[in-house]
Amino acid sequence: MTTVAELPAGFADKVLSAQTIFRSVMDAMARPGSVRKIASVTGAPPAMMCGTAAIAMTLFDHDTPLWLDPQMSETSDVGKWLRFHTGAPVIADSAICSFALIADARALPALDRFAFGSAEYPDRSTTLILQVQSLTQGTAFELRGPGIDGTAILRAALQPVDLFERLAINAALFPRGIDVVLVADDAIVAIPRTTRVAAKGD
């Protein structure tokens, strides 16, 4: 059993790494569909891809309640690692979480289980951090919206296969809605609530 004292440092240079990762995430949000590489974190629990761990160490703190899917929460290592490195509380109620970490996207709950924000505070919504198989191979998706010059094409192997169909609810909810960050190892793609996605086939 790993003790807190045995947990690794994560970042070799915490400040520089956090600044670099924050810029990568913001750049990904500003340019939906673009694949960005992200600085790696060492010693993350096996259920967490290095990109997920890097985002967690950069964006999470004691004011960002987290929800973990069953694969993330089935062992104590993920929660212990997150609490040690970020101080973020892990909660059982997905409806009030700031971030949701999804290791097994095939079991992604219905989106109405998460927070959409309110008209007054649309930022009080859940951002899904969704681990996927690939962000360079798989089904081709066409993206449109702010930050995209015309259209962008994303190839991704992901579950659930109807993820982007589910996210179509964002159009009706705006300015409320769900933001998504897809992670494949050390690569990330952001799908903000303003982005509209349609499958184009293989």
Side-chain angles (χ1 to χ4, degrees):
M1 194 72 173
T2 303
T3 66
V4 171
E6 294 170 329
L7 291 171
F11 288 143
D13 185 328
K14 184 173 182 179
V15 174
L16 181 60
S17 296
Q19 290 174 342
T20 301
I21 292 165
F22 184 79
R23 285 195 297 268
S24 295
V25 174
M26 293 301 101
D27 192 40
M29 281 289 185
R31 296 168 177 80
S34 62
V35 180
R36 304 293 179 193
K37 290 289 188 176
I38 201 165
S40 295
V41 169
T42 59
M48 297 178 70
M49 292 181 178
C50 58
T52 302
I55 290 171
M57 289 191 64
T58 303
L59 300 185
F60 300 175
D61 60 27
H62 64 279
D63 288 326
T64 52
L66 311 176
W67 183 84
L68 306 178
D69 78 346
Q71 185 169 322
M72 285 277 192
S73 61
E74 65 185 4
T75 67
S76 62
D77 287 351
V78 172
K80 183 183 296 183
W81 188 93
L82 286 165
R83 282 189 293 272
F84 178 78
H85 284 293
T86 74
V90 176
I91 63 174
D93 187 356
S94 60
I96 57 173
C97 68
S98 297
F99 292 90
L101 301 187
I102 312 295
D104 182 9
R106 294 170 297 179
L108 177 68
L111 294 184
D112 61 9
R113 292 270 305 276
F114 300 105
F116 292 137
S118 65
E120 296 82 9
Y121 301 102
D123 57 317
R124 294 181 182 176
S125 61
T126 301
T127 296
L128 301 182
I129 311 296
L130 195 66
Q131 297 185 165
V132 302
Q133 183 178 354
S134 174
L135 290 172
T136 56
Q137 299 177 348
T139 302
F141 298 94
E142 183 179 85
L143 285 66
R144 297 176 180 271
I148 300 172
D149 184 9
T151 62
I153 301 298
L154 168 67
R155 284 197 171 273
L158 54 80
Q159 296 287 345
V161 293
D162 66 343
L163 171 65
F164 293 130
E165 293 175 26
R166 296 195 203 183
L167 288 173
I169 193 174
N170 279 336
L173 290 171
F174 190 80
R176 302 161 63 223
I178 296 286
D179 299 315
V180 177
V181 178
L182 306 176
V183 179
D185 296 326
D186 64 346
I188 65 170
V189 167
I191 310 293
R193 69 192 67 183
T194 53
T195 303
R196 306 295 169 248
V197 187
K200 290 185 67 66
D202 295 330

